[in-house]
Amino acid sequence: MKPFAQTWLSLGSNLGDRLDNLLAGAAFLLSHGLEWKNCSGVYETEPVGYTAQPDFLNMVIHGETRLSPLDLLEVCQQAEKALLRERTIRWGPRTLDVDILLIDDLVLDLPALTLPHPRMAERAFVLGPLGEMDPGLMEKWALPHITEGIRLRMPASDFRDRLSPKFI
Ligand code: GSY
């Protein structure tokens, strides 16, 4: 059997019930090939890129999976679809966004997937939750501790028990 790979995923939502969207997205992933290891708290974050949109809630999940990177990407995209994500503006509001940040030590440059995630080192909404959850990973990948524009909204201990694979 294929060994487990460790992976870190970033989830974001700024439309509808943002917390429910994050938890439903996480639950979808956990029922489609991702095994839960750990997660950060949920952060309220200022939008990056296209700034004329509501604040996001963001979190990072650490899981393990036997899925290939492209199959994991497919599951992430299915999770977005399951949450009825609409893409009207390219960088605009969304019910759920799931980005693969890291898979083990993989460095990939495919048309569909670049690893490590090419913009993670400049995004406080990724670096804050990741740093909270896994300081060793920050050192390993020489990631800066940028926390500007984000604040902890809910510690992981407050919602961990709502992460159920049967949510969707
Ligand atoms: O790439 C993820 C979607 N996204 C986000 C996000 O999740 N959080 C914040 N704060 N800004 C963002 N801009 C984009 S695009």
Side-chain angles (χ1 to χ4, degrees):
M1 199 188 277
K2 204 166 179 278
F4 275 116
Q6 303 298 308
T7 185
W8 286 262
L9 307 174
S10 168
L11 276 66
S13 172
N14 72 343
L15 262 189
D17 187 325
R18 299 171 303 163
L19 181 61
D20 266 6
N21 294 339
L22 290 187
L23 297 182
F28 184 97
L29 298 167
L30 294 172
S31 59
H32 289 78
L34 188 75
E35 307 269 333
W36 191 83
K37 295 283 285 185
N38 198 5
C39 67
S40 70
V42 169
Y43 288 74
E44 180 95 38
T45 71
E46 291 170 8
V48 170
Y50 177 68
T51 54
Q53 58 176 324
D55 283 357
F56 282 76
L57 288 185
N58 283 101
M59 69 186 291
V60 169
I61 295 181
H62 171 200
E64 55 184 16
T65 186
R66 295 188 203 276
L67 296 172
S68 71
L70 290 180
D71 285 346
L72 179 62
L73 178 65
E74 173 69 27
V75 167
C76 294
Q77 291 167 348
Q78 284 171 6
E80 294 174 347
K81 281 203 194 106
L83 270 285
L84 300 179
R85 170 171 167 179
E86 290 169 27
R87 265 184 196 250
T88 39
I89 304 172
R90 181 160 185 225
W91 304 106
R94 69 273 320 270
T95 45
L96 183 67
D97 192 275
V98 184
D99 289 328
I100 304 175
L101 303 173
L102 295 162
I103 301 177
D104 286 337
D105 292 336
L106 265 186
V107 176
L108 275 185
D109 196 3
L110 303 174
L113 181 63
T114 303
L115 290 174
H117 188 286
R119 289 174 294 282
M120 66 184 278
E122 65 216 34
R123 291 177 158 181
F125 67 82
V126 168
L127 299 168
L130 200 56
E132 169 213 322
M133 200 175 58
D134 204 332
L137 203 65
M138 303 292 283
E139 267 181 42
K140 177 177 170 184
W141 290 95
L143 294 167
H145 284 268
I146 303 171
T147 54
E148 212 174 290
I150 71 167
R151 66 185 171 85
L152 182 63
R153 174 75 188 279
M154 195 183 284
S157 53
D158 282 11
F159 62 86
R160 228 179 240 138
D161 57 352
R162 291 173 63 187
L163 285 180
S164 156
K166 60 180 162 51
F167 196 92
I168 286 182

